[in-house]
Amino acid sequence: QVQLVESGGGSVQSGGSLRLSCAASGHAFGAYCLGWFRQLPGKEREGVATIDNTGNTAYADSVKGRFTISQDNAKNTVYLQMTTLKPEDTAMYYCAARSGTCYLASSWYNIWGQGTQVTVSS
């Protein structure tokens, strides 16, 4: 079973950039779909981006052109590069994994990290 640990969150002004990292431990990292999700208190967890083991990516419409997901199989790490950040990007960001096809819906994922907070001020 894969375990996930996120890092890289923080506070930034509108228009700024951050890069989130998700380090995976455990076996068969390359067999998983990996995704980034975000959640505000009292709201449902929202899919942000996914990447599968062949490098195919998918993004929520709200982040297309601003966020980029990538992975380094040698380091067992998936990244989320976030640029042109907006106050509405403020949320707790989670890394997640599932075996098989990627989906942007969080209900498909059964392996989660603890989350990292991103705060964007105007």
Side-chain angles (χ1 to χ4, degrees):
Q1 176 107 337
V2 173
Q3 293 86 42
L4 305 172
V5 178
E6 302 96 333
S7 60
S11 297
V12 64
Q13 289 192 326
S14 182
S17 300
L18 281 174
R19 188 177 79 159
L20 306 183
S21 300
C22 174
S25 61
H27 62 84
F29 174 79
Y32 286 82
C33 166
L34 296 156
W36 285 97
F37 298 80
R38 63 188 183 186
Q39 188 173 24
L40 284 170
K43 295 200 172 182
E44 290 193 3
R45 201 163 289 188
E46 171 192 26
V48 175
T50 63
I51 186 166
D52 69 17
N53 58 2
T54 64
N56 292 318
T57 59
Y59 296 91
D61 288 343
S62 59
V63 306
K64 281 181 182 175
R66 301 189 298 122
F67 292 10
T68 303
I69 189 171
S70 62
Q71 60 186 4
D72 185 334
N73 289 334
K75 295 182 178 180
N76 281 4
T77 301
V78 62
Y79 303 98
L80 185 68
Q81 179 68 51
M82 306 184 294
T83 63
T84 320
L85 281 160
K86 305 174 181 180
E88 52 263 43
D89 295 317
T90 295
M92 183 70 80
Y93 282 71
Y94 297 90
C95 178
R98 70 180 305 274
S99 180
T101 304
C102 283
Y103 300 97
L104 278 172
S106 61
S107 58
W108 287 97
Y109 294 76
N110 59 341
I111 302 168
W112 291 89
Q114 83 289 350
T116 185
Q117 177 69 36
V118 171
T119 303
V120 184
S121 58
S122 58

